[in-house]
Structures are given as structure tokens and as C-alpha cells.
Amino acid sequence: MSSQPTRGEADDDIGRFERLNQAAAALLDPLIDPELASQPTQQARRLAEALGACAQAADRAGVRGLNHLATLAVPHLPALAVRADWPAQRDALEGWVGLIVAYSAGHLVGEDVEPLLGSLLGLPGLPAVPAQFVTLIRRRLTQDAQRIAALASMD
């Protein structure tokens, strides 16, 4: 019994990796859509939807850490959208989304995943996350980064 994937399994993995990358790149759409620039609540809602889709694509690719990030971020986005400093928060979210795109493409590995979690936890008003959960999420993101790197090398 070989631990090497069959050609069909490898093709499935490559397809899941490509769909993850597409879903991650789609996170930028609500942030750069000029029609949403003056509609923070709508922009936050569309970003939340895109985060959910990205988390689902990640889950299908065997990457679970993005689900944890989405679980933390999605309910918080409406509160950020009504803040007077929404433009600054939107810019911070855009930077965080850029990290998700890089992570999903296999460009963040090891300690490089720390800003992915730290940027989210640093958003104003985000409810406190217990330290043990932060540790578990960090560990999961690091493990997932290895899975993503393996998928990227197959592509």
C-alpha cells in the first residue's frame, strides 16, 4: 500500500487548492468594489459572505484554520462597519485579507502565520479570545500552512 496519492487524487487536490486560491482572491472584491466604498454595512456584509465561502473552500481542501478565523471575524464585521473610523478599519481588513490570500497560496509558513491571527485579534472591539483557543488556532494555522505548501507544490 503506497502513501503516494493516485493521479486522480492529486488532480482533486490541485482542484481544491485552485478553488481555495480563487475564494481567497475573491475576498478582495468587496473591499475594492467602488460601488461599496460609501456603503460600509453592505461592504462588511459582502466581506462576511466571501469569508464564509473562503472558509468552505479551505475546509474542502483539508484546511481547517481559516474556519476558525472566519468564525471570529464574520460576527464582528457589522460592528466595525458602523464605527466612525471605518475607513481605517477597512484598510486594516484589507491588509488582513492580503495575508489570507498569501496564506492560501502557500506563501506563509511556520512563524509567518502569526500576523494572520494577530491582525485579526488586534481589530478594535473584537471580543476577547481565551488564550488556549488562540494557541489552538495558531497551531492549526501552522499545520494547515504545511498542507497548503504541499498542495502548492503539486500545482
Side-chain angles (χ1 to χ4, degrees):
M1 181 180 249
S2 170
S3 64
Q4 294 293 321
T6 66
R7 178 69 180 151
E9 290 169 336
D11 287 346
D12 288 346
D13 282 343
I14 291 169
R16 285 189 284 272
F17 175 67
E18 289 172 355
R19 285 186 291 283
L20 171 57
N21 275 288
Q22 291 167 355
L27 291 171
L28 293 168
D29 292 345
L31 296 172
I32 62 174
D33 185 336
E35 292 181 19
L36 296 177
S38 63
Q39 302 176 51
T41 303
Q42 183 70 3
Q43 195 171 43
R45 186 184 67 73
R46 291 256 324 271
L47 180 57
E49 291 169 358
L51 275 168
C54 185
Q56 288 177 351
D59 194 50
R60 288 184 200 110
V63 176
R64 309 285 187 265
L66 289 177
N67 279 321
H68 299 306
L69 297 179
T71 298
L72 293 173
V74 167
H76 187 59
L77 291 174
L80 283 178
V82 297
R83 290 177 57 102
D85 65 346
W86 168 249
Q89 298 311 316
R90 194 205 62 76
D91 289 346
L93 285 168
E94 189 173 314
W96 180 65
V97 164
L99 291 171
I100 293 173
V101 172
Y103 177 79
S104 298
H107 298 299
L108 299 181
V109 293
E111 294 299 315
D112 291 342
V113 303
E114 182 56 36
L116 190 59
L117 181 57
S119 295
L120 176 62
L121 295 176
L123 290 174
L126 185 78
V129 179
Q132 67 268 27
F133 292 126
V134 171
T135 299
L136 291 172
I137 293 168
R138 184 179 293 118
R139 188 175 302 135
R140 184 73 227 192
L141 289 169
T142 301
Q143 291 170 348
D144 287 349
Q146 294 170 353
R147 165 94 175 128
I148 292 169
L151 290 171
S153 70
M154 296 172 73
D155 191 24

